[in-house]
Amino acid sequence: MPSAPSAPVIMWFRQDLRLHDNPALLTATRLGPVIPIYILDDEHAADQRMGAASRCWLHRSLDALNQQLDGHLQLFRGPADTLLEQLVQHYDCRTVTWNRCYEPWRINRDRIIKEKLQGLGITVHSDNGSLLWEPWQVLKRDQTPYQIFTPFYRHARDSVPVRSPLPRPAEIALAAVTPYSALKLADLELRPNHPWADKVLHHWQPGEAGAQQRWQTFMEEELLGYGEGRDLPAQPHVSRLSPAIHWGEISVHQLWHDAQAIGHEDALAFQRQLAWREFSVTQLFHHPDMDRINLDRRFNLFPWHDDAEKLNRWQQGLTGIPFVDAGMRELWQTGTMHNRVRMVVGSFLVKNLGIHWHHGAAWFWDCLLDADLANNSASWQWIAGCGADAAPYFRIFNPVTQGQKFDPHGDYTRHFVPELAKLPNRYLFCPWQAPKGLLQECGITLGGTYPEPMVDIKVSRQQALDAYAHMRQAT
Ligand SMILES: Cc1cc2nc3c(=O)[nH]c(=O)nc-3n(C[C@H](O)[C@H](O)[C@H](O)COP(=O)(O)OP(=O)(O)OC[C@H]3O[C@@H](n4cnc5c(N)ncnc54)[C@H](O)[C@@H]3O)c2cc1C
C-alpha cells in the first residue's frame, strides 16, 4: 500500500531570505512538501515598522527569493498570528518552521503565535539562523549580560563554538497547492513611487546571489588591509554586507567560518566586527526598551536642545562642516554611510548640536538600507555616551581632524561635497579658515555656494562638556 503523502509544511521566511545555511528551511524540507511564505506584519511592528530604505531593499530581496523558489513564495500582508492560523487550517498543515528573530516585538509576537499554533495541535520548529551566539549564551558568571564588548567577545569566541554552516537543501519539494494569497510583490507597496528609491539601490544587488558575490569579491580583493582600511571611507576595505546580513541573505555562520579559514589578522579583525552585531543583539534582548530608554539612566537628565531647523540641516548635509555633510549626503544618495563617518555625524548631532540621539536614530532608521533595531539603537547610545561600553562623555569627535585623519586625500569628501572639490586638502575640512582669495579662486562663497558652519566646533564642544559635567554632578 502506498504511504499517505505527508502534510505540507509552512516555512515562514523572515530575516533569513536565503536557501543556503537556512536551518528552518532544511527542517521543513525534511518533514514534507514545503509552502514558503513571507508576511509583511506592520501591525505588530507598530512604531518599529521598517523605514523607507529597508522596504526598498526588501522589495528586491523578496523578488530574488521568489525567483529562487520558482515563483512559489506566497506573500501576505497583515497580522501574522491571524494569517498563520488561517493558513494551517486551510492547508491542513501539521508543522510550521521559522528562524528566530530577536527584536522585542517579534519575540513577543512569536511566543503568542507558537502557543496558538500548538493549541491547534501544530508543531512549531524555531531555529537559530542569524546569530553566532544566542543572546542567552554569553553571560557573565552572575548570569547578567556583559556591558563591555571585549570580555563579551573573548568569552564568546573562546568558549561558545560557532556551528558550521548547513548545506543548501539538495532538493526543495514545493507543495503542489493553489496559492492562498493572491498578493503580488507590488501589492506589498514596499517601494515608494519616488526617484530616490531607484537611485538608492543603484549600486546594490539585494538577494542571496548578490550577497554571495559581494562576499567572494570582498574575500578575494578587499579583505586584506581590512584592519586599518576599515576606518578609511574612501578605501574599498569594508564588506558592505550589512543589509544582506540584516535580511539573512548570507549567513553569519558562513562569514565566520570562511574568515576563520583565511585566518590572517584582517580576517580576524572582520570576525571581531561581526561580534559587535552579536553584542548589540544581546544588549537589546536584555534591555528590550533600548531603542527608547538610555541604558545609563543618568542621561535622562541631560539637557538636550532639540531644534527642528538644525536637525533639518544635519539631515540634508548642509551643516557647513564638510566631513559631516559628506556622510549625510552619502546616506541620502546611497542608503548607507561608512562606519567611521556614522560615528562622526552622530557625535556632531548629539554633542555639537546638543540634539537628542533619538532624532539621529530615527533618521538613520528611515534612510539606512541596513537599518537594524539592535545595531542602530546600540550604536546611537554608544555615540551619546549612555550605552553599553559607550564612548566616554568627554570623547567628542572633532569633525575637522577626523576628516583630515581618515580621509587624508579628501577623495570621499570631494565626492559627496563637490562644491568644495577645488579646495586644497589643508582647507577642505575647514573652508571657513581658507583665505578669501583662495575661496574665490575655487568658486566658493561661504553662505552662498556652501553653508557657513552652523556651530563653532570648539565652543559647542565646551558647551557639551559643561552640560555633561552638570549632569554628572546632579546625579
Ligand atoms: C550611529 C550608528 C548607527 C548604526 N546603525 C547601524 C544599523 O542600523 N545597522 C547595522 O547593521 N549597523 C549599524 N551601525 C554599525 C556599522 O556602522 C555598520 O554595521 C557598518 O558600517 C556596515 O558596513 P559593512 O557591512 O561594510 O561593515 P564591515 O566593516 O564589513 O563589517 C561586517 C559586518 O559586521 C557588523 N558590524 C560592523 N561594525 C559594526 C558595529 N560597529 N556595530 C555592529 N555591527 C557591526 C555588520 O553586520 C557588518 O555588516 C551603526 C553605527 C553607528 C555609529
Side-chain angles (χ1 to χ4, degrees):
M1 221 170 77
S3 59
S6 44
V9 178
I10 291 180
M11 162 62 197
W12 181 13
F13 281 96
R14 294 124 62 95
Q15 283 166 327
D16 51 353
L17 306 180
R18 64 176 187 272
L19 306 187
H20 180 254
D21 188 21
N22 188 324
L25 177 63
L26 207 58
T27 305
T29 55
R30 284 176 183 154
L31 294 176
V34 178
I35 302 177
I37 65 165
Y38 181 86
I39 303 173
L40 178 65
D41 185 353
D42 284 333
E43 277 77 359
H44 281 99
D47 56 0
Q48 287 170 352
R49 63 204 290 274
M50 270 174 276
S54 298
R55 285 170 183 269
C56 290
W57 185 281
L58 178 61
H59 177 97
R60 292 265 301 272
S61 191
L62 287 175
D63 192 24
L65 181 67
N66 189 33
Q67 286 177 36
Q68 286 179 289
L69 294 167
D70 296 331
H72 283 78
L73 182 66
Q74 290 195 48
L75 301 172
F76 296 89
R77 189 176 184 176
D81 47 355
T82 318
L83 285 165
L84 276 167
E85 267 187 275
Q86 289 168 2
L87 266 186
V88 290
Q89 286 171 4
H90 177 81
Y91 285 127
D92 199 14
C93 292
R94 312 286 359 122
T95 318
V96 176
T97 68
W98 68 64
N99 289 306
R100 285 189 278 282
C101 295
Y102 300 87
E103 287 86 355
W105 69 267
R106 283 199 167 96
I107 293 177
N108 293 336
R109 178 198 64 181
D110 294 351
R111 189 178 296 131
I112 292 168
I113 293 179
K114 205 170 197 174
E115 281 169 14
K116 273 193 183 172
L117 292 178
Q118 284 168 344
L120 294 171
I122 310 291
T123 306
V124 174
H125 288 273
S126 66
D127 279 294
N128 171 11
S130 62
L131 288 181
L132 303 171
W133 307 293
E134 300 265 22
W136 49 87
Q137 280 185 302
V138 186
L139 298 174
K140 293 190 287 187
R141 281 213 186 100
D142 64 2
Q143 297 304 299
T144 59
Y146 283 93
Q147 297 304 313
I148 309 288
F149 172 74
T150 301
F152 165 87
Y153 182 46
R154 287 209 187 109
H155 176 166
R157 183 195 58 191
D158 299 343
S159 42
V160 189
V162 172
R163 69 159 173 79
S164 300
L166 305 165
R168 180 188 162 126
E171 191 194 349
I172 303 172
L174 294 161
V177 293
T178 313
Y180 183 74
S181 171
L183 288 189
K184 300 270 174 263
L185 187 52
D187 299 326
L188 297 186
E189 297 175 295
L190 291 165
R191 259 175 61 128
N193 190 12
H194 191 284
W196 166 83
D198 289 327
K199 199 173 167 194
V200 86
L201 282 176
H202 187 65
H203 300 289
W204 301 89
Q205 192 193 336
E208 184 170 14
Q212 288 292 348
Q213 212 175 334
R214 179 87 275 279
W215 176 230
Q216 288 305 321
T217 308
F218 178 68
M219 269 195 300
E220 287 161 19
E221 297 169 20
E222 298 156 2
L223 178 59
L224 203 63
Y226 177 81
E228 287 193 5
R230 61 174 284 274
D231 262 327
L232 306 172
Q235 297 285 321
H237 287 298
V238 285
S239 71
R240 293 166 64 85
L241 278 171
S242 47
I245 292 175
H246 172 78
W247 285 111
E249 296 164 7
I250 192 160
S251 104
V252 284
H253 299 85
Q254 180 194 347
L255 300 178
W256 177 270
H257 282 285
D258 285 353
Q260 189 75 22
I262 296 170
H264 57 50
E265 284 299 311
D266 292 312
L268 302 184
F270 181 77
Q271 282 184 320
R272 190 181 161 87
Q273 285 314 115
L274 289 178
W276 270 102
R277 172 176 171 271
E278 307 279 323
F279 185 60
S280 302
V281 176
T282 302
Q283 293 299 321
L284 181 63
F285 183 81
H286 293 281
H287 304 285
D289 51 10
M290 190 175 79
D291 62 310
R292 298 180 301 277
I293 310 284
N294 301 314
L295 289 185
D296 181 343
R297 300 289 197 263
R298 290 177 305 169
F299 276 75
N300 295 349
L301 292 179
F302 193 81
W304 305 106
H305 300 292
D306 291 345
D307 177 325
E309 200 237 315
K310 284 186 177 161
L311 177 65
N312 192 263
R313 283 182 66 177
W314 176 81
Q315 289 170 338
Q316 297 200 17
L318 293 173
T319 66
I321 313 287
F323 199 46
V324 172
D325 291 342
M328 298 310 296
R329 295 180 195 188
E330 180 188 19
L331 176 61
W332 182 251
Q333 289 168 30
T334 70
T336 190
M337 191 195 302
H338 189 278
N339 181 60
R340 168 58 50 183
V341 196
R342 291 187 202 201
M343 294 194 283
V344 173
V345 304
S347 172
F348 182 77
L349 181 80
V350 171
K351 294 181 176 166
N352 296 93
L353 298 184
I355 292 179
H356 200 297
W357 62 267
H358 286 170
H359 296 294
W363 183 248
F364 272 31
W365 183 253
D366 212 21
C367 296
L368 277 174
L369 293 168
D370 68 15
D372 177 276
L373 195 66
N375 268 355
N376 199 37
S377 313
S379 303
W380 276 99
Q381 292 231 18
W382 184 89
I383 289 288
C386 53
D389 204 357
Y393 75 95
F394 49 81
R395 184 181 300 153
I396 298 178
F397 289 95
N398 179 322
V400 174
T401 50
Q402 287 282 311
Q404 288 163 340
K405 184 167 176 197
F406 294 108
D407 187 22
H409 306 295
D411 298 339
Y412 171 81
T413 303
R414 287 197 175 84
H415 180 78
F416 288 106
V417 191
E419 60 269 40
L420 299 181
K422 290 190 181 141
L423 264 187
N425 284 352
R426 182 169 170 202
Y427 297 112
L428 179 62
F429 301 99
C430 47
W432 58 91
Q433 289 178 359
K436 280 207 174 102
L438 179 67
L439 287 175
Q440 230 169 14
E441 249 174 62
C442 299
I444 299 165
T445 319
L446 290 185
T449 58
Y450 184 70
E452 302 261 16
M454 59 190 287
V455 284
D456 181 297
I457 289 168
K458 274 198 187 142
V459 172
S460 54
R461 175 178 190 277
Q462 192 53 49
Q463 284 165 347
L465 290 177
D466 294 346
Y468 279 108
H470 191 256
M471 178 196 85
R472 282 160 65 88
Q473 274 166 10
T475 51

